[in-house]
PDB file of all heavy atoms in Angstrom:
ATOM      1  N   VAL L 275     -18.280 -81.866  -6.193  1.00  0.00           N
ATOM      2  CA  VAL L 275     -19.022 -81.388  -5.029  1.00  0.00           C
ATOM      3  C   VAL L 275     -20.451 -81.800  -5.165  1.00  0.00           C
ATOM      4  O   VAL L 275     -21.039 -81.759  -6.255  1.00  0.00           O
ATOM      5  CB  VAL L 275     -18.884 -79.870  -4.979  1.00  0.00           C
ATOM      6  CG1 VAL L 275     -19.275 -79.156  -6.244  1.00  0.00           C
ATOM      7  CG2 VAL L 275     -19.560 -79.249  -3.780  1.00  0.00           C
ATOM      8  N   ALA L 276     -20.999 -82.232  -3.984  1.00  0.00           N
ATOM      9  CA  ALA L 276     -22.361 -82.569  -3.928  1.00  0.00           C
ATOM     10  C   ALA L 276     -22.972 -81.941  -2.787  1.00  0.00           C
ATOM     11  O   ALA L 276     -22.440 -81.761  -1.689  1.00  0.00           O
ATOM     12  CB  ALA L 276     -22.429 -84.164  -3.779  1.00  0.00           C
ATOM     13  N   LEU L 277     -24.217 -81.419  -2.998  1.00  0.00           N
ATOM     14  CA  LEU L 277     -24.850 -80.711  -1.800  1.00  0.00           C
ATOM     15  C   LEU L 277     -26.341 -81.092  -1.922  1.00  0.00           C
ATOM     16  O   LEU L 277     -26.957 -81.444  -2.949  1.00  0.00           O
ATOM     17  CB  LEU L 277     -24.507 -79.300  -1.871  1.00  0.00           C
ATOM     18  CG  LEU L 277     -24.777 -78.400  -3.114  1.00  0.00           C
ATOM     19  CD1 LEU L 277     -26.232 -78.092  -3.278  1.00  0.00           C
ATOM     20  CD2 LEU L 277     -23.925 -77.194  -3.003  1.00  0.00           C
ATOM     21  N   ASP L 278     -26.997 -80.720  -0.814  1.00  0.00           N
ATOM     22  CA  ASP L 278     -28.463 -80.824  -0.740  1.00  0.00           C
ATOM     23  C   ASP L 278     -29.001 -79.608  -1.219  1.00  0.00           C
ATOM     24  O   ASP L 278     -28.849 -78.601  -0.561  1.00  0.00           O
ATOM     25  CB  ASP L 278     -28.833 -81.258   0.870  1.00  0.00           C
ATOM     26  CG  ASP L 278     -30.349 -81.483   0.887  1.00  0.00           C
ATOM     27  OD1 ASP L 278     -31.078 -80.977   0.092  1.00  0.00           O
ATOM     28  OD2 ASP L 278     -30.652 -82.292   1.851  1.00  0.00           O
ATOM     29  N   PRO L 279     -29.786 -79.608  -2.382  1.00  0.00           N
ATOM     30  CA  PRO L 279     -30.155 -78.287  -2.791  1.00  0.00           C
ATOM     31  C   PRO L 279     -31.285 -77.626  -1.880  1.00  0.00           C
ATOM     32  O   PRO L 279     -31.491 -76.422  -1.940  1.00  0.00           O
ATOM     33  CB  PRO L 279     -30.813 -78.687  -4.112  1.00  0.00           C
ATOM     34  CG  PRO L 279     -31.215 -80.024  -4.074  1.00  0.00           C
ATOM     35  CD  PRO L 279     -30.149 -80.694  -3.177  1.00  0.00           C
ATOM     36  N   ARG L 280     -31.819 -78.382  -1.019  1.00  0.00           N
ATOM     37  CA  ARG L 280     -32.848 -77.868  -0.096  1.00  0.00           C
ATOM     38  C   ARG L 280     -32.263 -76.930   1.045  1.00  0.00           C
ATOM     39  O   ARG L 280     -32.806 -76.043   1.461  1.00  0.00           O
ATOM     40  CB  ARG L 280     -33.644 -78.923   0.570  1.00  0.00           C
ATOM     41  CG  ARG L 280     -34.395 -79.840  -0.448  1.00  0.00           C
ATOM     42  CD  ARG L 280     -34.941 -81.027   0.098  1.00  0.00           C
ATOM     43  NE  ARG L 280     -33.880 -81.948   0.765  1.00  0.00           N
ATOM     44  CZ  ARG L 280     -34.076 -83.062   1.177  1.00  0.00           C
ATOM     45  NH1 ARG L 280     -35.413 -83.552   1.380  1.00  0.00           N
ATOM     46  NH2 ARG L 280     -33.121 -83.829   1.664  1.00  0.00           N
ATOM     47  N   THR L 281     -31.058 -77.286   1.388  1.00  0.00           N
ATOM     48  CA  THR L 281     -30.333 -76.570   2.481  1.00  0.00           C
ATOM     49  C   THR L 281     -29.081 -75.975   2.235  1.00  0.00           C
ATOM     50  O   THR L 281     -28.593 -74.995   2.731  1.00  0.00           O
ATOM     51  CB  THR L 281     -30.173 -77.621   3.607  1.00  0.00           C
ATOM     52  OG1 THR L 281     -29.385 -78.598   3.150  1.00  0.00           O
ATOM     53  CG2 THR L 281     -31.497 -78.034   4.237  1.00  0.00           C
ATOM     54  N   GLY L 282     -28.304 -76.571   1.203  1.00  0.00           N
ATOM     55  CA  GLY L 282     -27.072 -76.162   0.927  1.00  0.00           C
ATOM     56  C   GLY L 282     -25.948 -76.924   1.727  1.00  0.00           C
ATOM     57  O   GLY L 282     -24.820 -76.748   1.499  1.00  0.00           O
ATOM     58  N   ALA L 283     -26.540 -77.897   2.442  1.00  0.00           N
ATOM     59  CA  ALA L 283     -25.577 -78.863   3.113  1.00  0.00           C
ATOM     60  C   ALA L 283     -24.676 -79.621   2.169  1.00  0.00           C
ATOM     61  O   ALA L 283     -25.222 -80.260   1.283  1.00  0.00           O
ATOM     62  CB  ALA L 283     -26.326 -79.742   4.039  1.00  0.00           C
ATOM     63  N   ILE L 284     -23.365 -79.487   2.346  1.00  0.00           N
ATOM     64  CA  ILE L 284     -22.513 -80.088   1.256  1.00  0.00           C
ATOM     65  C   ILE L 284     -22.367 -81.562   1.761  1.00  0.00           C
ATOM     66  O   ILE L 284     -21.908 -81.905   2.969  1.00  0.00           O
ATOM     67  CB  ILE L 284     -21.214 -79.321   1.294  1.00  0.00           C
ATOM     68  CG1 ILE L 284     -21.347 -77.962   0.746  1.00  0.00           C
ATOM     69  CG2 ILE L 284     -20.142 -80.173   0.264  1.00  0.00           C
ATOM     70  CD1 ILE L 284     -20.187 -77.056   0.731  1.00  0.00           C
ATOM     71  N   LEU L 285     -22.447 -82.520   0.872  1.00  0.00           N
ATOM     72  CA  LEU L 285     -22.387 -83.912   1.173  1.00  0.00           C
ATOM     73  C   LEU L 285     -21.068 -84.530   0.796  1.00  0.00           C
ATOM     74  O   LEU L 285     -20.554 -85.434   1.378  1.00  0.00           O
ATOM     75  CB  LEU L 285     -23.507 -84.702   0.437  1.00  0.00           C
ATOM     76  CG  LEU L 285     -24.964 -84.210   0.682  1.00  0.00           C
ATOM     77  CD1 LEU L 285     -25.918 -84.717  -0.242  1.00  0.00           C
ATOM     78  CD2 LEU L 285     -25.391 -84.428   2.126  1.00  0.00           C
ATOM     79  N   ALA L 286     -20.500 -83.900  -0.379  1.00  0.00           N
ATOM     80  CA  ALA L 286     -19.166 -84.361  -0.813  1.00  0.00           C
ATOM     81  C   ALA L 286     -18.459 -83.218  -1.274  1.00  0.00           C
ATOM     82  O   ALA L 286     -19.104 -82.286  -1.921  1.00  0.00           O
ATOM     83  CB  ALA L 286     -19.333 -85.459  -1.931  1.00  0.00           C
ATOM     84  N   PHE L 287     -17.123 -83.200  -1.005  1.00  0.00           N
ATOM     85  CA  PHE L 287     -16.311 -82.035  -1.318  1.00  0.00           C
ATOM     86  C   PHE L 287     -14.929 -82.580  -1.539  1.00  0.00           C
ATOM     87  O   PHE L 287     -14.279 -82.826  -0.608  1.00  0.00           O
ATOM     88  CB  PHE L 287     -16.404 -81.008  -0.126  1.00  0.00           C
ATOM     89  CG  PHE L 287     -15.684 -79.754  -0.441  1.00  0.00           C
ATOM     90  CD1 PHE L 287     -16.412 -78.559  -0.713  1.00  0.00           C
ATOM     91  CD2 PHE L 287     -14.266 -79.612  -0.492  1.00  0.00           C
ATOM     92  CE1 PHE L 287     -15.735 -77.404  -0.964  1.00  0.00           C
ATOM     93  CE2 PHE L 287     -13.615 -78.360  -0.605  1.00  0.00           C
ATOM     94  CZ  PHE L 287     -14.370 -77.305  -0.918  1.00  0.00           C
ATOM     95  N   TYR L 288     -14.595 -82.775  -2.803  1.00  0.00           N
ATOM     96  CA  TYR L 288     -13.400 -83.495  -3.041  1.00  0.00           C
ATOM     97  C   TYR L 288     -12.575 -82.920  -4.242  1.00  0.00           C
ATOM     98  O   TYR L 288     -13.185 -82.780  -5.265  1.00  0.00           O
ATOM     99  CB  TYR L 288     -13.613 -84.996  -3.240  1.00  0.00           C
ATOM    100  CG  TYR L 288     -12.236 -85.746  -3.302  1.00  0.00           C
ATOM    101  CD1 TYR L 288     -11.439 -85.840  -2.136  1.00  0.00           C
ATOM    102  CD2 TYR L 288     -11.848 -86.196  -4.524  1.00  0.00           C
ATOM    103  CE1 TYR L 288     -10.236 -86.533  -2.265  1.00  0.00           C
ATOM    104  CE2 TYR L 288     -10.565 -86.858  -4.517  1.00  0.00           C
ATOM    105  CZ  TYR L 288      -9.764 -87.055  -3.456  1.00  0.00           C
ATOM    106  OH  TYR L 288      -8.540 -87.665  -3.525  1.00  0.00           O
ATOM    107  N   SER L 289     -11.360 -82.715  -3.991  1.00  0.00           N
ATOM    108  CA  SER L 289     -10.401 -82.158  -5.018  1.00  0.00           C
ATOM    109  C   SER L 289      -9.317 -83.149  -5.333  1.00  0.00           C
ATOM    110  O   SER L 289      -8.634 -83.489  -4.257  1.00  0.00           O
ATOM    111  CB  SER L 289      -9.942 -80.767  -4.689  1.00  0.00           C
ATOM    112  OG  SER L 289      -8.880 -80.356  -5.595  1.00  0.00           O
ATOM    113  N   ASN L 290      -9.079 -83.632  -6.449  1.00  0.00           N
ATOM    114  CA  ASN L 290      -8.061 -84.616  -6.654  1.00  0.00           C
ATOM    115  C   ASN L 290      -7.016 -84.058  -7.605  1.00  0.00           C
ATOM    116  O   ASN L 290      -7.187 -83.362  -8.571  1.00  0.00           O
ATOM    117  CB  ASN L 290      -8.629 -85.835  -7.329  1.00  0.00           C
ATOM    118  CG  ASN L 290      -7.789 -87.068  -7.038  1.00  0.00           C
ATOM    119  OD1 ASN L 290      -7.587 -87.357  -5.860  1.00  0.00           O
ATOM    120  ND2 ASN L 290      -7.454 -87.798  -8.061  1.00  0.00           N
ATOM    121  N   PRO L 291      -5.587 -84.287  -7.281  1.00  0.00           N
ATOM    122  CA  PRO L 291      -5.181 -85.021  -6.174  1.00  0.00           C
ATOM    123  C   PRO L 291      -5.124 -84.194  -4.907  1.00  0.00           C
ATOM    124  O   PRO L 291      -5.137 -82.881  -4.915  1.00  0.00           O
ATOM    125  CB  PRO L 291      -3.722 -85.312  -6.607  1.00  0.00           C
ATOM    126  CG  PRO L 291      -3.382 -84.241  -7.490  1.00  0.00           C
ATOM    127  CD  PRO L 291      -4.549 -83.790  -8.226  1.00  0.00           C
TER     128      PRO L 291
END
Side-chain angles (χ1 to χ4, degrees):
Chain L
V275 58
L277 53 82
D278 185 334
R280 299 167 297 181
T281 57
I284 298 175
L285 306 169
F287 186 106
Y288 185 72
S289 170
N290 205 53

